Amino acid sequence: MRANVITLVVIVGMTVWLAMHVGSVAWTPVKMVGGVMAAAGVVLLLVARMQLGASFSVAAKAKKLVTTGLYAKIRNPIYVFSAMFLVGLVIVSERWLLLVPIAVLVPVQMVRVRKEEAVLEAAFGEEYVRYKAGTWF
């Protein structure tokens, strides 16, 4: 639960930072790539969260197996797009020290993925195994 709250606070905080500083950024081609990554990441993160709907939970629970939308190709789009968003913001801000929390967050998310996958496989069995075989991360 703490990791989710920290992730949410970081994403909201960095989104606010970007919104407040977008006009003052010296937009080089590299920063433009970072800005596009950040913008796409936050939009896709929100889309993934909406598509997950009532199946979202802080603790790993098997309410419903969501296999449509972004979840048709990516099993964990919230994790993928939150990382994409954060890396994009690091590129725009040129605050490379912010890579440290991201480097900590990724392994934490990987542990969460394993727990979630175990819960989903226990609940949905072969249906989840087939879904997992046809998707990325």
Side-chain angles (χ1 to χ4, degrees), residues 14-89:
M14 293 185 90
T15 302
V16 169
W17 178 90
L18 182 61
M20 291 174 53
H21 293 89
V22 73
S24 63
V25 173
W27 289 101
T28 65
V30 171
K31 286 186 179 186
M32 285 182 203
V33 169
V36 169
M37 282 178 64
V42 77
V43 168
L44 291 168
L45 168 65
L46 294 172
V47 168
R49 175 56 187 90
M50 287 187 297
Q51 289 176 346
L52 194 55
S55 294
F56 176 81
S57 66
V58 175
K61 295 180 184 172
K63 297 178 182 178
K64 176 185 168 192
L65 185 58
V66 178
T67 61
T68 58
L70 294 171
Y71 291 87
K73 299 293 179 192
I74 305 171
R75 288 189 308 280
N76 299 287
I78 290 175
Y79 299 148
V80 170
F81 296 124
S82 62
M84 180 177 156
F85 168 71
L86 294 171
V87 170
L89 284 179

Side-chain angles (χ1 to χ4, degrees), residues 76-107:
N76 299 287
I78 290 175
Y79 299 148
V80 170
F81 296 124
S82 62
M84 180 177 156
F85 168 71
L86 294 171
V87 170
L89 284 179
V90 169
I91 292 169
V92 170
S93 70
E94 292 184 325
R95 294 197 169 117
W96 307 110
L97 193 56
L98 292 175
L99 288 172
V100 172
I102 295 170
V104 171
L105 180 65
V106 169

